[in-house]
């Protein structure tokens, strides 16, 4: 298995998933009872907020995927299936995003369920990513060069933090859906700046 | 024809097809008569089960596609069109998946037809894959190095088994749609573990 | 402009367009007044016929695109925009296909318009392809090696034939939509066998 | 971060976004009250005009993306996120296109809002592109070779002009949606010819 083709396939899935996010931007369009376009766009703001958050969540994961795989010297079939599991959650993000956006301002149990569903999909993504990370550190032969101990610990901390934050977001979803989305957005902003300065 | 571009095009089609599976995850959303989100998600479970199964069926086929093409030293126009036929069935999998999921819990003839349709698409995929395999062993010049006789027999057995299992799944569909889906899921689990340990 | 990235972008567009064809396979699903699934699938046959024909039309064009670009030594901005024009028509094929399939069995003026629209999109594709071909023979420097005179004439004849056949298909559409689709299918079959044996 | 994978991911997003434009070409199809197909196609002309304009807008941006990245010697995380921001707007173009087309002939405030929304998305794209350009000229080390002063000024002028024209298109949208679309189409035509002769 050549790493290049694994990366190319993953890039394709990331690219399609990130683009499908935009399908949820659409408004009902002209028609009796639909209201003015300005009203529709205003009413549809959760979809736009959710689009931006999920776009950067997928984008950051792609960047991390890139950074992690760059260091791999070998691949094996276990990696292929761990990577497929990661992609299973990536591909489900547009679904989680549109469901969360549809219920965000509904309030009540439905909005909590919708935000928790979104958090669960991101948690599944983070855990799959963590599993690939664990695969990579189980043997030094899998990397071009061993990570220095401090760097490995730093990377492990960062991955664990992501998985932990999404758990907190799921718990928060049971109280307030917008607060849960805000937390996930804050983490995305943190990652962008942490990585841009890194 | 350079092999790299054939693989890149195939990877693109695999990536789009696997991502389109997620379009069927969507629920109706808020609205009068739609019920609570929890109810909608619960009622929609066949779509989620079908999504996971088809995701791994396409993923495994991609892995096998990869492994097979890695060994090819040359390509020709016959391979191009055999590969197109394989992709024709891959691209139809999201359709078969959503139809099967829509009727899975309906029971009666409709559910049998839906599960048989799903099995037929997978059978078409397996037979196309087998045709590419036969193309590859018809001449040693098509591979970098001849397969050892035992390995070739093992690979042929594995491909034949896939085609046979999907035939059984089609027959089983005429009795019980969920049983047919369960069989296909079991085969996917088997492939993941067989290949991960391979 | 490196040729590799032009090919990669084109491959991506071909891959997405060919996969979007499958969106038209969907049936209405269970529901009052929708009839049995077997009835729905039977009634939907034009969509399946149109899917197979358009899949191979796009697939053959991708193969030809590949063969043509393989010989290019240089690219320039004129080629970029001729290629974009070709892709404009490729991307419109799923629309033409689903419209044609929706009206194929309606009969009357609507079916003629729908089949003519499909033919027009394919004609636009063939003419764009021809323009790229003309671009390539306007200067020998654009190819790795000059085409021998006989080969160039043969290739030109083949491209002209495609453009001519689609014109005939448009004319035929004004008489019978199924006959027009049958002609386009026949040409696709011819191309597959001509190229497989070539 | 290898530049090749950044380009491959971007190419994938461009390819999917440009192909999703075609989803808006669909007409209602046969059915009571839908009118003849010829009538539907005629009535749907704004969607076809918008499709062609947006197709070339995305295509030109892809060509420019290509030309700009070709010169980069290094990439860093700032570039990754600037590029993600550019893609965020690229992916939103099909949404802006279909909304603008749906309201183009409605007249009144709705058509102005729809055309301004389309202009805003293109403005966001142009500004993101400009930010990548500024990133690239902030240090000569980021390019294989320093741009000659005249060439850098010419490129900066061209990028600024794009951002300025879209601002004018937004202002024009508040007066006439078709005039705004016509201006954006004219700019696309200008870019195609300027770049083809360049």
């Amino acid at each position: 298995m050549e790493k290049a083709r694994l990366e190319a396939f993953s890039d394709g899935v990331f690219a399609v998933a990130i683009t499908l996010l935009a399908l949820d931007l659409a408004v009902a369009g002209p028609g009796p009872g639909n209201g003015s376009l300005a009203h529709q766009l205003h009413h549809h703001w959760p979809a736009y907020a959710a689009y931006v958050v999920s776009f950067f969540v997928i984008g950051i994961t792609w960047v991390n995927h890139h950074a992690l795989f760059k260091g791999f010297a070998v691949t094996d079939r276990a990696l292929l299936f761990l990577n497929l599991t990661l992609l299973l959650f990536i591909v489900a993000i547009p679904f989680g995003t549109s469901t969360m956006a549809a219920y965000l301002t509904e309030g009540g149990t439905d909005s909590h369920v919708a935000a928790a569903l979104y958090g669960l999909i991101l948690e599944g993504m983070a855990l799959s990513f963590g599993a690939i990370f664990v695969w990579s550190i189980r043997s030094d032969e899998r990397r071009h060069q061993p990570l220095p101990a401090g760097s490995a610990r730093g990377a492990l901390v960062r991955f664990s933090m992501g998985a932990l934050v999404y758990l907190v977001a799921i718990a928060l979803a049971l109280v307030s859906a917008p607060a849960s989305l805000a937390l996930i957005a804050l983490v995305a902003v943190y990652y962008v700046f942490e990585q841009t300065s890194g």
Side-chain angles (χ1 to χ4, degrees), chain A:
Chain A
M1 159 62 79
E2 302 140 39
K3 201 178 68 170
R5 212 183 147 189
L6 176 58
E7 290 181 332
F9 176 68
S10 304
D11 283 355
V13 173
F14 274 102
V16 183
I18 212 170
T19 312
L20 290 186
L21 286 173
L23 293 183
D24 197 45
L25 300 176
V27 293
N34 286 348
S36 72
L37 176 57
H39 173 82
Q40 288 184 50
L41 291 171
H42 181 258
H43 189 70
H44 209 41
W45 73 262
Y48 306 122
Y51 169 68
V52 174
V53 172
S54 286
F55 198 96
F56 278 97
V57 166
I58 296 182
I60 288 163
T61 308
W62 175 77
V63 171
N64 286 335
H65 190 270
H66 207 301
L68 191 58
F69 276 63
K70 194 171 56 178
F72 292 171
V74 300
T75 64
D76 61 18
R77 295 185 156 212
L79 177 63
L80 289 186
F81 288 101
L82 291 177
N83 192 58
L84 269 182
T85 306
L86 172 66
L87 296 178
L88 180 98
F89 288 105
I90 294 289
V91 165
I93 288 179
F95 156 63
T97 304
S98 67
T99 304
M100 185 263 290
Y103 285 98
L104 191 68
T105 56
E106 292 282 309
T109 310
D110 278 355
S111 72
H112 301 163
V113 171
L117 174 71
Y118 183 60
L120 274 169
I121 293 172
L122 299 188
E123 182 70 23
M125 176 189 81
L127 292 179
S128 308
F129 209 102
I132 296 177
F133 186 71
V134 168
W135 171 91
S136 79
I137 58 174
R138 276 223 321 258
S139 164
D140 280 355
E141 293 160 24
R142 283 165 175 163
R143 281 175 278 103
H144 286 298
Q145 42 192 11
L147 289 177
S151 161
R153 207 180 312 122
L156 191 57
V157 165
R158 215 177 312 136
F159 285 121
S160 310
M161 208 195 66
L164 194 69
V165 164
Y166 291 134
L167 269 187
V168 174
I170 294 169
L172 201 53
L174 304 180
V175 181
S176 161
S180 180
L181 178 60
L183 175 64
I184 290 167
L186 273 176
V187 174
V189 169
Y190 167 78
Y191 268 112
V192 168
F193 281 96
E194 188 251 6
Q195 297 194 330
T196 307
S197 64

